Amino acid sequence: MSLPVAPTTMLRWPAEELWEALQPLCPGLSVEVATEVDSTSSRLLERARAGDASPCLLVAERQTAGRGRLGRSWEASPGASLTFSLALPLAPRAWSGLSLVAGVALAEALHERVRLKWPNDLWLVDGAGQGRKLGGILIETAQAAGGPRVAVVGVGLNIRQEAIAGETTSRASLDELESGAQAPATLLRIAAPLLRVLQAFEREGFAPWMARYAARDALAGRSIRLLQHQGGSSEGQALGVDEQGALLVQTAAGLQTITSAEVSVRPC
Ligand code: BTN
């Protein structure tokens, strides 16, 4: 079932077209458009924990408490960004690599210059390989009471430039690639590819995606700094990812395999 667009939204969201594109891939999926929520991901996680494991795409024009990885906040203004989450009951053999395949789907659906910074950032790169953050992916799961585990894939994508209080680094935005880019049309373009890769990941895991990830890997071959969130850092050269999607880094102490969610990676 597709819910109608809330009458007070600023933008015209193609809820019916989204539902028509997604429902054949995932029968029973609903599409919901909200003017304002705390966080699209928080809403879908709450529903799953309350026992509703039905697949759902929830897009919001404004989030009052948008969340990023590692407990960070995700700030965005209506129209200047696309913020949505996709909830899907999933039972993969292993969960590692899920944010990487989601990134591959989004990058491929967006533009050749969109690359991936392990594990969950979408970057817009220039001709010299320098990147700025275009968007981010937040993967969370919840156990539906008496039902399956539900993956909630939250996506935030900068559509237009906007000044964020306290933010010093410059963000990239999709309108640098496509003048007049709009959040609703962008969602329509990326939703089905995203859903398809999540379903393929459930069947096949990350390994079949290694080559496509490598083609979008913004870090491969670069010197990087690994920042532990408890403090401390080390440097090395990024060498791509393994079959589980873990980051391979050549350091002075040898080859390290980075799986920890408690590590941030920065190019040096
Ligand atoms: C990151 O870069 O750390 C991930 C950012 C993910 C933000 C999106 S916006 C839609 C969804 N709802 C949230 O609260 N977060 C994700």
Side-chain angles (χ1 to χ4, degrees), residues 105-204:
L106 297 172
E108 289 180 351
L110 285 168
H111 196 275
E112 171 57 27
R113 281 178 54 204
V114 178
R115 299 296 159 88
L116 302 170
K117 196 200 91 175
W118 187 93
N120 71 322
D121 281 359
L122 296 163
W123 268 15
L124 177 58
V125 294
D126 62 24
Q130 297 303 312
R132 286 170 297 131
K133 185 160 175 166
L134 176 68
I137 301 163
L138 181 66
I139 305 277
E140 296 166 296
T141 69
Q143 183 63 50
R149 184 156 281 276
V150 176
V152 175
V153 179
V155 178
L157 196 60
N158 308 325
I159 301 292
R160 290 200 314 264
Q161 285 295 338
E162 61 173 335
I164 301 288
E167 200 172 276
T168 48
T169 53
S170 77
R171 296 180 174 195
S173 54
L174 196 62
D175 66 352
E176 295 175 47
L177 295 170
E178 301 161 15
S179 92
Q182 295 286 334
T186 305
L187 178 59
L188 190 54
R189 190 157 110 222
I190 63 181
L194 177 61
L195 176 56
R196 273 196 213 97
V197 301
L198 300 178
Q199 292 174 324
F201 175 84
E202 181 181 40
R203 294 189 303 269
E204 301 158 5

Side-chain angles (χ1 to χ4, degrees), residues 6-219:
T8 48
T9 54
M10 264 172 33
L11 301 170
R12 193 195 156 274
W13 291 93
E16 288 295 331
E17 285 160 276
L18 277 164
W19 184 76
E20 280 163 15
L22 300 178
Q23 207 271 342
L25 304 173
C26 184
L29 179 141
S30 63
V31 174
E32 299 184 21
V33 180
T35 313
E36 182 175 296
V37 294
D38 51 355
S39 150
T40 53
S41 289
S42 300
R43 283 289 172 97
L44 294 180
L45 288 166
E46 277 162 26
R47 275 189 208 177
R49 288 189 196 110
D52 181 356
S54 55
C56 179
L57 184 145
L58 172 61
V59 57
E61 278 192 353
R62 180 194 294 276
Q63 295 187 122
T64 54
R67 296 181 294 104
R69 188 169 164 258
L70 302 169
R72 297 180 186 128
S73 62
W74 182 264
E75 309 285 344
S77 323
S81 100
L82 169 62
T83 50
F84 73 97
S85 300
L86 181 58
L88 203 60
L90 279 190
R93 241 174 298 157
W95 289 92
S96 61
L98 182 53
S99 72
L100 279 55
V101 299
V104 169
L106 297 172
E108 289 180 351
L110 285 168
H111 196 275
E112 171 57 27
R113 281 178 54 204
V114 178
R115 299 296 159 88
L116 302 170
K117 196 200 91 175
W118 187 93
N120 71 322
D121 281 359
L122 296 163
W123 268 15
L124 177 58
V125 294
D126 62 24
Q130 297 303 312
R132 286 170 297 131
K133 185 160 175 166
L134 176 68
I137 301 163
L138 181 66
I139 305 277
E140 296 166 296
T141 69
Q143 183 63 50
R149 184 156 281 276
V150 176
V152 175
V153 179
V155 178
L157 196 60
N158 308 325
I159 301 292
R160 290 200 314 264
Q161 285 295 338
E162 61 173 335
I164 301 288
E167 200 172 276
T168 48
T169 53
S170 77
R171 296 180 174 195
S173 54
L174 196 62
D175 66 352
E176 295 175 47
L177 295 170
E178 301 161 15
S179 92
Q182 295 286 334
T186 305
L187 178 59
L188 190 54
R189 190 157 110 222
I190 63 181
L194 177 61
L195 176 56
R196 273 196 213 97
V197 301
L198 300 178
Q199 292 174 324
F201 175 84
E202 181 181 40
R203 294 189 303 269
E204 301 158 5
F206 175 69
W209 297 86
M210 285 178 74
R212 283 164 73 177
Y213 181 84
R216 296 279 172 167
D217 187 346
L219 295 179

